[in-house]
Amino acid sequence: MKTDDLIALLSTNVEPVDRNAVVRTLSVAIIGATVAALGIAFAGLGFRPDLTTTRALIYLAIKLAFAIGIVGLAMIYLMRLARPGGERMMSPFVIAVPFLAVVILAAISLWSAPPLYWERMIVGEEWLECLLSIPIIAIVPFAISIWAVRKAAPTNLARAGAFAGLVAGGLSAMAYALHCTDDSLPFIALWYGGTIVLCTIAGAALGPRLLRW
Amino acid sequence: MTDLEIELKALMLASLRGDPASHRALLDRLSRRLRAYYKGKLGVVGRGVVEAEDLVQEAILAIHLKRHTYDPREPLTPWIHAIARYKLIDFLRRNRASPAEVPIDDADDVMAHDDNADAESTYDVRRLMQRLPKGMQCAIEAVKLDGLTVAEAARRCGLSEPGVKVNIHRGLKALAALIARETQT
């Protein structure tokens, strides 16, 4: 077939195009992914029973701020990465800011506590549950994010996959925070931060296979 | 901003509004630039004119199918570059050519040269279309090849009007996938 014939075929009866399609699809996806993460966390683990105490609320707020900060930043990048050439328009290091902030806060909180408490602050009571729950809860949000990015046209598949993983990991951490009763900054930095990074690495590894178009 | 960018972006914006003449002019201009680019790249690994033409058509289909991902606030040329390069890398990987043999540089100018020597590609769209589900086949034939309106096509194919549009979109996507498989040598 000649290229001219193909162009003629494609140009017959063209429809107007919705220019907001990418942003809208990704927005719908993030809402769906949030609902899914909250639903799975609630059904599988339940929310923490002491949610009315001040201490619990403060730590819940810290965890949510960390997770929502990551999701917000990651979404901005994902919206760009979903479009051809979007990877040129960004320096991915801004995304390290929430991680750095929580690590610095964790270091300050360790430094101001007696070393006797360090182990409990770092390991907490439910580190294994946290290590397993965040990646597992992230699976459905990850699938939804990948679906949305596939509707667009990423040209750096590993990076787009990584940011889809980061969004999913952040949403999952947000949902898990409603259950988790380990209230210490070192715990959040290590187990929340660590598992979200794991989700990101998994996304980067899966991106080239899942996002090809 | 170059004259070419201004001219092509104006065509792109009109084409996004649904203007067929602009869409055609845009794809026509782009196909010449892409042809020169791909011939230059594939020439390095001793691949021929026909394969370059396959790639031109893959890229044109991709530009058509993914035109909703163009952000009108951004210049058009980098968007085209990204698609052209992505399809080249994908083609090389499918054909197990080492990407190291074909230097793909961010600074490469896809739009640098013009080549209007239209050639036949290795596949035949009408033949490939027979592999599509009936609804998609009928919708594409009616609207895209015979030039019927969506309402007329809906009557001919026994589909609703939105159904015709969905079938055309899915059909072209499926066709692009078939072409990609077909051009695997």
Side-chain angles (χ1 to χ4, degrees):
Chain A
M1 181 185 204
K2 290 215 169 213
T3 302
D4 279 347
D5 299 333
L6 177 71
I7 292 173
L9 178 144
L10 296 176
S11 313
T12 309
N13 293 327
V14 267
E15 295 280 327
V17 167
D18 177 7
R19 296 174 185 190
N20 298 317
V22 174
V23 172
R24 213 193 29 243
T25 308
L26 278 166
S27 307
V28 169
I30 188 106
I31 294 167
T34 307
V35 172
L38 290 173
I40 292 165
F42 183 69
L45 300 165
F47 293 159
R48 60 190 293 179
D50 60 345
L51 262 178
T52 45
T53 64
T54 316
R55 186 185 156 78
L57 281 176
I58 290 171
Y59 274 94
L60 179 63
I62 295 171
K63 290 170 189 169
L64 288 182
F66 175 54
I68 291 170
I70 287 172
V71 172
L73 277 176
M75 272 308 283
I76 295 172
Y77 283 107
L78 195 58
M79 296 249 181
R80 289 187 201 165
L81 283 170
R83 301 178 194 267
E87 61 273 14
R88 291 176 323 110
M89 293 188 270
M90 51 184 271
S91 63
F93 300 104
V94 180
I95 197 67
V97 169
F99 291 97
L100 277 177
V102 83
V103 165
I104 290 168
L105 287 175
I108 293 171
S109 113
L110 278 180
W111 178 71
S112 57
L116 193 63
Y117 292 125
W118 284 8
E119 195 189 331
R120 226 190 68 206
M121 288 169 78
I122 295 172
V123 179
E125 279 162 21
E126 298 284 3
W127 65 274
L128 184 63
E129 185 196 72
C130 178
L131 180 64
L132 295 175
S133 298
I134 291 182
I136 290 171
I137 297 170
I139 292 173
V140 173
F142 181 68
I144 297 174
S145 311
I146 290 288
W147 164 83
V149 176
R150 279 183 62 92
K151 296 230 150 204
T155 48
N156 186 331
L157 305 189
R159 207 180 285 180
F163 276 83
L166 188 58
V167 166
L171 285 175
S172 170
M174 185 190 81
Y176 178 71
L178 291 164
H179 166 77
C180 166
T181 49
D182 277 302
D183 293 333
S184 90
L185 285 162
F187 185 91
I188 299 172
L190 182 59
W191 302 107
Y192 280 58
T195 45
I196 293 171
V197 169
L198 274 182
C199 293
T200 311
I201 293 169
L206 291 170
R209 245 168 296 168
L210 297 177
L211 294 172
R212 256 188 84 199
W213 53 279
Chain B
M1 221 179 290
T2 63
D3 291 347
L4 187 67
E5 162 68 30
I6 293 167
E7 189 190 337
L8 292 179
K9 184 165 176 173
L11 286 175
M12 180 67 168
L13 294 178
S15 124
L16 290 177
R17 284 193 296 270
D19 176 32
S22 299
H23 195 59
R24 184 169 193 150
L26 175 73
L27 295 184
D28 187 52
R29 300 283 167 85
L30 291 178
S31 71
R32 296 163 179 223
R33 305 278 164 173
L34 289 167
R35 186 173 296 121
Y37 173 67
Y38 286 140
K39 272 188 185 170
K41 287 292 173 190
L42 293 187
V44 179
V45 281
R47 300 257 182 183
V49 172
V50 182
E51 277 142 322
E53 202 62 29
D54 286 350
L55 252 175
V56 171
Q57 297 189 6
E58 265 189 62
I60 288 292
L61 259 167
I63 288 165
H64 174 82
L65 287 170
K66 298 294 189 182
R67 63 195 192 280
H68 65 281
T69 66
Y70 171 62
D71 182 349
R73 289 168 300 184
E74 303 289 337
L76 179 68
T77 320
W79 184 82
I80 301 284
H81 279 211
I83 293 181
R85 230 177 274 127
Y86 177 81
K87 284 294 167 189
L88 175 60
I89 293 168
D90 195 55
F91 176 88
L92 292 173
R93 199 178 34 220
R94 271 200 322 267
N95 291 292
R96 295 189 179 73
S98 155
E101 293 170 66
V102 184
I104 298 167
D105 198 330
D106 272 3
D108 278 349
D109 191 355
V110 178
M111 308 288 206
H113 303 287
D114 209 276
D115 185 337
N116 63 0
D118 191 7
E120 292 275 349
S121 57
T122 47
Y123 59 86
D124 178 0
V125 166
R126 289 227 181 224
R127 189 172 53 76
L128 286 180
M129 250 172 42
Q130 286 164 5
R131 290 199 233 155
L132 297 179
K134 275 274 166 317
M136 295 182 191
Q137 235 183 82
C138 181
I140 294 179
E141 266 174 15
V143 176
K144 294 292 188 180
L145 295 171
D146 302 339
L148 299 187
T149 66
V150 173
E152 289 165 336
R155 241 168 292 139
R156 190 206 274 186
C157 304
L159 295 161
S160 65
E161 288 188 28
V164 168
K165 290 180 192 172
V166 169
N167 270 293
I168 291 174
H169 188 74
R170 294 213 180 126
L172 288 177
K173 252 164 77 179
L175 207 56
L178 285 175
I179 290 172
R181 218 175 308 152
E182 194 83 348
T183 54
Q184 196 161 346
T185 46

